[in-house]
Amino acid sequence: MSGRAVPHPGAPRAAVGDAIIALHRGDVVCFRFAHLHGFYQATHAILGAGAPGRAGVTRLVLTPGPRLHHQGCVLASATVAQAMTAHPADLFVTISSVNSPSGAVRGQL
């Protein structure tokens, strides 16, 4: 994940991080975030749909805030689960922060 991948102005360009996203039992999305650097006070994370470099739409809230949870699992709709298996490159993860509410880092699946 990178701040450079966030299509919104004001994202910290030097921000980086790692995300592991996995689909379990067909409808449970588990996540783990690590090595987050270049920004602080992470608030929440989403799984969104959209092409690289373009704004997208939220498909699933991974951790709602007000403070980021670095790992966990959430129930996904059948539509999200199908998109994860059929077209994962059309999805992305964004972590937001207090200073970058539209996204501090982003990475395509």
Side-chain angles (χ1 to χ4, degrees):
M1 299 174 58
S2 162
R4 293 183 187 278
V6 177
H8 305 290
R13 298 298 177 204
V16 295
D18 294 326
I20 298 171
I21 308 295
L23 182 63
H24 296 282
R25 296 188 323 239
D27 65 351
V28 176
V29 176
C30 293
F31 61 90
R32 181 178 173 151
F33 305 122
H35 311 291
L36 302 176
H37 300 287
F39 66 102
Y40 62 96
Q41 293 181 323
T43 55
H44 65 280
I46 60 104
L47 178 71
R54 313 259 344 232
V57 295
T58 300
R59 294 292 182 220
L60 182 65
V61 175
L62 298 174
T63 173
R67 187 171 164 201
L68 181 75
H69 295 278
H70 286 78
Q71 63 183 15
C73 296
V74 294
L75 190 61
S77 69
T79 302
V80 170
Q82 183 179 24
M84 286 183 72
T85 57
H87 304 286
D90 294 342
L91 301 171
F92 62 87
V93 173
T94 296
I95 297 176
S96 297
S97 70
V98 170
N99 292 335
S100 299
S102 295
V105 290
R106 174 176 161 162
Q108 297 293 128
L109 297 192

